[in-house]
Amino acid sequence: VVGIGIGVLGIVFAVGLGALIFYMVRPRGDKVGDTNLTDPLATLVVNAKGGDSLVFRVDASVQLAALSLSSDDVVEQRVSAQLRSSLLTVHATAPSGREQTATCAVYKGRATATTTPSGKLTRSGMLNDCAIPLDQDGPWNVRGSVAWHPELKLESATLETRLEAGKH
């Protein structure tokens, strides 16, 4: 009976921990599209209502030093610090032509996945603090750009735009 109780507690703990992790890395809103952050002309049109908000996540792959003498943990910490010091700027142009911007760090310490296949680090679903409240109904043009840390050797980067519905 004690063994069964311990087993049930272990399962409850694992499910609770999984739910907590999901809550911490889940993005707000519904995904509406992706744009290439390496293309300065890449835009996305988002149909929204006044009171909605745009929120964002970033996926990026960077090259790692080929002959690094550092451990994987040290390299990952260095790249994390470089991503935290890289600045994301998002421009949202209203149907009236007025532009709103948000600027924040590309990465605030939470992501859905990190992989390090053969000489590169790929981090997906990086959460950040950029959000743009929308005050007009209609199509908004969204464009992102990043001032990358000078030591990052970027292979690819994508801006995921999400629409969080307001109270209508």
Side-chain angles (χ1 to χ4, degrees):
V1 174
V2 171
I4 293 173
I6 291 172
V8 168
L9 284 174
I11 291 170
V12 168
F13 176 76
V15 168
L17 182 60
L20 177 65
I21 291 170
F22 174 77
Y23 175 77
M24 290 181 68
V25 298
R26 78 167 171 37
R28 302 175 355 226
D30 297 318
K31 181 178 177 178
V32 291
D34 293 326
T35 51
N36 181 347
L37 282 170
T38 62
D39 179 357
L41 301 177
T43 61
L44 175 71
V45 176
V46 177
N47 289 308
K49 296 188 182 315
D52 292 349
S53 294
L54 297 174
V55 293
F56 309 93
R57 295 193 319 176
V58 175
D59 299 339
S61 291
V62 297
Q63 293 178 359
L64 301 176
L67 298 173
S68 174
L69 299 176
S70 302
S71 71
D72 287 347
D73 289 341
V74 171
V75 170
E76 187 172 334
Q77 288 173 2
R78 186 175 68 238
V79 170
S80 293
Q82 292 168 348
L83 287 168
R84 281 186 183 99
S85 66
S86 298
L87 290 180
L88 168 66
T89 300
V90 182
H91 304 268
T93 305
S96 67
R98 185 179 40 80
E99 185 175 87
Q100 293 184 192
T101 62
T103 300
C104 61
V106 165
Y107 177 57
K108 71 174 191 179
R110 294 185 298 184
T112 55
T114 299
T115 58
T116 52
S118 61
K120 71 178 180 180
L121 180 137
T122 300
R123 185 159 286 156
S124 302
M126 289 186 280
L127 298 178
N128 57 64
D129 291 325
C130 282
I132 299 177
L134 307 178
D135 58 2
Q136 294 180 20
D137 292 359
W140 287 73
N141 289 311
V142 179
R143 179 178 46 87
S145 62
V146 177
W148 297 103
H149 185 281
E151 294 178 21
L152 278 176
K153 292 181 177 38
L154 187 70
E155 284 195 355
S156 65
T158 304
L159 177 68
E160 177 183 295
T161 301
R162 303 180 74 83
L163 183 64
E164 184 175 40
K167 296 185 184 359
H168 302 283

